[in-house]
Amino acid sequence: MLHSVARRRHAGATAALAAAAVTVPLTLTAPPATAAAPQNGQAARPWDAYNLSPTSRTLRPVAVHTTNGTVTGAQHVLSGRRTTLTGAGSYVTLDFGKDVTGLTTVSFASSQGAQRVGLAFSESSEYVGVTSDASTGGPRSRDGAIGVDVNGRTTYTTPAKYLRGGFRYLTVFLETDGSVDLDGVSVHYTAAPKMKNPAAYANYFYSNDDLLNRIWYAGAYTIQLNTISPKTGRIWEAPAELWDNTGNIGVGDTILVDGAKRDRTVWPGDLGIEVPAAYAAFNDTESARNALTTVYQHQRDTGELPYAGPELNKYGSDTYHLWTLAATWDYYLYTSDRAWLATVWDAYRKAVAYTDAKLSERGLVSITGTSDSVRILAKGENLTANVLLWRVLTTGARLAQVQKDKALAASYAQRAEALRTAIDTHLWDEAAGAYKQYPDSAIHPQDGNSLAVWYGMADTAKARRISTDLTGNWNSITSTAPENKGNPGVFSGSMEVNAHFAAGGRAADQAGVDIIRRQWGYMLDHPQGTRSTFWESFRNLEDGCVFCSSYVSLAHAWATGPTPALTNYVLGLRPTSPGGRTFDFVPHTADLRFAQGRLTTTRGAVDASWKVANGTYTARLTAPAGAAGRAGVPTFGTRMKVYLDGRLVWDGRKARGNQAYSDGEYVYVKNLHGTHTIRGERA
């Protein structure tokens, strides 16, 4: 979660940031072919090479980033030998090679009498030094350093309160005149507390595009760093010095929070991206359930849900109120957890009624709780709030059916259609081909338009026009958010990525792949980033700085939209009924040659792969017992014959039998159980 910051609209790349930027693929042509398509019977798992998560809970630095003053044998500590610091101000900065989280242990073989050593932490190389970057949210611009007394052989482990949520660099520095011999540094990795092996993902993604593979796994790793014990959240109010991560922020043993370094708190808006991403990578729904339960437990008597959970305990956001309800459907879709739904159903209905009371004479939600993701919204008939309510009413109708409340299900469905009509009537801008932020606004926001497409509120024609409009907001490195003064869209960009694929069609599919490569490739490979995780925010090119504050989180779960997008759309696997009883395997191939991966459902794992070569599409699907799939064969703008296990089911014009049908862009083969091979070729 990032509070409002005034920013200037992008006008062009400045020399300052251009000099700092790394080269990333910005071309709209085919991607580099660095990964080889797996052969039948190949035992290797090449996707494992992209997995950033550790197999052990004990992590050690992999390099020396820099030294200052008198440091002897700086590299020695990496192999358990002595690195000597001599004289006040001397330091060695150790690099873990990626963002990490946890409790730090340092050991000293000896010292020249009693000495004082400091430990300082940083996510970005930009803020390396003898004071830690910022995480507390208090008045200080930096967090300071932990002091360690060393007298002869000494081992120190940070106490629980000083768990550092996210850092890549650790600076060990001498505060006193004298010397110490540092011979060991390690971190006990505390993320994903219920995973026995943090690297053992339930799911995977692999394609011929090396960059997309790296991005999927960096997104998964970012989510993992944001999956924590609820007893290790941020204390609020901020402590007078240093930091304190012993806050009790929710129920259960594992929970999704917004950032690894900070805020380490449940923010409902972030759940809109986190819940699909955690499911796509890990089949982790328990952490989502605990986050949602926590928010519902703090509902006010009015029906209002929190803007942020404990210990921040903020209220006053109509959009974040609705995000909780939207995420409730995501959780139920992945789990079919009727027992849990029953426990929150009264709170859910009360929360819907709270928003219903804010409908205007035009039938639109008119927000009064104006807190939001990166800015304070204006009061009134805001697009994002209205799209979210449409989503809540549409999915709420299905949840009401689960609760056997047919009358409420019908009411929600009717109200959803009335709201869609009101949104189209008062917020659609035909000339622009996009929705307006407010009925009288000239802004066509990234977030609200992306949600309208991703969630299926906009019809196909509108969705594809919106996709085109959104690409008009791109600059050389990123998507931008007109509603946020044209700054880079990270949270809203995660929505946009999914929206392009949801719009469908070859142009929109290509746009989805292109912006993932462009924006997330930029974040992943930037020299001032972590090279492993995605950021809370960054600045426009003209600002001359990337983050412009050490408070910005560089492992922020709302930035992980490409991970579910690559699974759900590029690979093409997504559940279509609760628990994955039915699912789609409908790839959006764009310019890729092959992709393969897994999505785990309550019925078991669904494995799928596809490749395109010489005008022929070949796919393989394995579904668990009790699950039925629908496979889509892209037509690539031509007539395709489709074969199921060698049997012709579509002759290029019509079905052979009753298992296939077409909408012109895909030939669909339905009712698939078990293992199948599907082939499409030009008719």
Side-chain angles (χ1 to χ4, degrees), residues 354-367:
Y354 173 83
T355 300
D356 275 347
K358 299 192 178 191
L359 290 179
S360 70
E361 292 181 356
R362 290 193 277 206
L364 295 169
V365 177
S366 184
I367 65 169

Side-chain angles (χ1 to χ4, degrees), residues 38 337 362 420 440 447 458 560 654 659:
D337 188 348
R362 290 193 277 206
R420 187 209 298 260
D440 58 353
D447 55 4
T560 59
K654 63 182 184 301
Q659 203 168 356

Side-chain angles (χ1 to χ4, degrees), residues 459-521:
D459 63 30
T460 300
K462 285 186 174 69
R464 293 184 180 178
R465 293 189 68 190
I466 290 170
S467 174
T468 299
D469 180 75
L470 289 168
T471 62
N473 295 324
W474 296 359
N475 62 35
S476 61
I477 60 172
T478 183
S479 68
T480 65
E483 69 274 24
N484 186 31
K485 299 180 173 62
N487 280 281
V490 182
F491 179 33
S492 53
S494 284
M495 303 173 205
E496 179 179 332
V497 165
N498 286 274
H500 287 301
F501 295 117
R506 286 180 290 173
D509 288 346
Q510 192 60 50
V513 169
D514 289 336
I515 196 57
I516 291 175
R517 292 175 181 141
R518 182 180 301 203
Q519 180 169 338
W520 277 264

